[in-house]
Amino acid sequence: MTNTPATIDTLYSINTPEGIALKLAPAGPVLRFYAWFIDSLIRGTVMFAMLWALSFFDRAGTGVFLILAFLIEWFYPVYFEIFHQGKTPGKSMFGLYVAQENASPVTPVSSLIRNLLRFVDFMPFCYGFGLICLLSNSRFQRIGDIVAGTVVLHQDTEHRVSEETTIAPVVPPVPLQLNEQQALISFYQRRPMLSEERADELAKLSGPLVGDRAAAADYLSGIGRWIIGKR
């Protein structure tokens, strides 16, 4: 009888419309706490500065402060998640970002839902319900994430080259089999974690597909980028 080794990671796979399996790595509670703490410090600092500035306007200033504090508390994460690729400053600092469960960019509606439901996660105090929910499922989703269909992912594991990359998508010069597409997608995903020398070494193993190109790794990454739909 053989024993199957147990896995201790939390990776899960999704399939793209092209039939490509992508592995995603949900972020655990520790890094998420650190990111939340940084974001809380930023919000707190901004609110304190506003309170000091508006304190000179007596009751009118207090009213304006309460309105602005409400907007910052509830819509600070929504703004960054929608307009900064799912990353608040805290999440960006620790290599995390919010996405839909299928790895597509988080939608405005989903971002709004996951953040407005923080009051449920916070109950009965100190995010008690949220922490229990987060620890009870393999994707580390709090209640807001489950309802919104979102997940917090590790950027360094799943993020397939930054949107600001200089690598342009390349149309495959020949029809590719499914396993070939999967290999190129895997290379594209791993590229940020490889040195230039190692990336070129692996790229040249593809043989005729790259030929004697000088920038073999960039060429294959461009094809992988095209296959995954980033065109």
Side-chain angles (χ1 to χ4, degrees):
M1 184 177 72
T2 60
N3 294 323
T4 302
T7 179
I8 60 174
D9 60 39
T10 57
L11 296 177
Y12 72 95
S13 298
I14 59 99
N15 292 316
T16 68
E18 294 83 6
I20 307 301
L22 300 179
K23 291 188 180 297
L24 309 177
V30 176
L31 285 183
R32 291 181 66 170
F33 170 77
Y34 290 156
W36 169 84
F37 183 72
I38 295 298
D39 287 326
S40 296
L41 285 180
I42 294 173
R43 291 200 301 269
T45 301
V46 172
M47 289 183 189
F48 179 80
M50 288 193 313
L51 179 61
W52 177 82
L54 294 171
S55 64
F56 297 101
F57 297 93
D58 299 325
R59 296 173 64 180
T62 301
V64 172
F65 169 75
L66 292 175
I67 294 173
L68 292 177
F70 173 83
L71 293 175
I72 290 174
E73 177 62 29
W74 292 101
F75 293 98
Y76 164 96
V78 175
Y79 168 78
F80 282 103
E81 289 173 7
I82 294 174
F83 295 105
H84 292 268
Q85 302 175 0
K87 297 177 286 189
T88 62
K91 287 185 175 66
S92 182
M93 185 176 297
F94 293 98
L96 309 178
Y97 70 105
V98 179
Q100 300 297 135
E101 289 179 313
N102 63 359
S104 62
V106 63
T107 65
V109 172
S110 294
S111 179
L112 190 63
I113 290 174
R114 77 181 299 273
N115 284 291
L116 290 181
L117 285 179
R118 280 188 292 142
F119 79 93
V120 178
D121 287 303
F122 188 82
M123 294 190 295
F125 60 87
C126 295
Y127 286 96
F129 285 167
L131 182 60
I132 292 173
C133 183
L134 186 145
L135 294 175
S136 64
N137 67 88
S138 60
R139 296 185 182 181
F140 298 123
Q141 293 168 294
R142 56 179 177 81
I143 297 171
D145 286 318
I146 293 175
V147 175
T150 57
V151 65
V152 180
L153 300 171
H154 285 284
Q155 179 178 336
D156 57 352
T157 300
E158 190 281 333
H159 197 57
R160 298 167 300 280
V161 183
S162 170
E163 292 296 330
E164 292 79 25
T165 181
T166 57
I167 297 175
V170 177
V171 179
V174 295
L176 299 173
Q177 300 295 322
L178 178 60
N179 63 329
E180 294 172 329
Q181 294 183 39
Q182 290 173 330
L184 289 172
I185 288 293
S186 177
F187 180 79
Y188 177 57
Q189 289 179 307
R190 294 179 56 203
R191 177 69 188 280
M193 295 175 279
L194 301 172
S195 66
E196 288 298 320
E197 294 77 11
R198 179 57 175 164
D200 280 331
E201 180 184 7
L202 292 175
K204 290 176 181 177
L205 295 177
S206 62
L209 187 59
V210 296
D212 57 355
R213 293 177 183 272
D218 287 348
Y219 182 71
L220 287 189
S221 294
I223 296 177
R225 184 176 172 84
W226 187 90
I227 293 172
I228 209 169
K230 292 186 178 296
R231 305 168 189 174

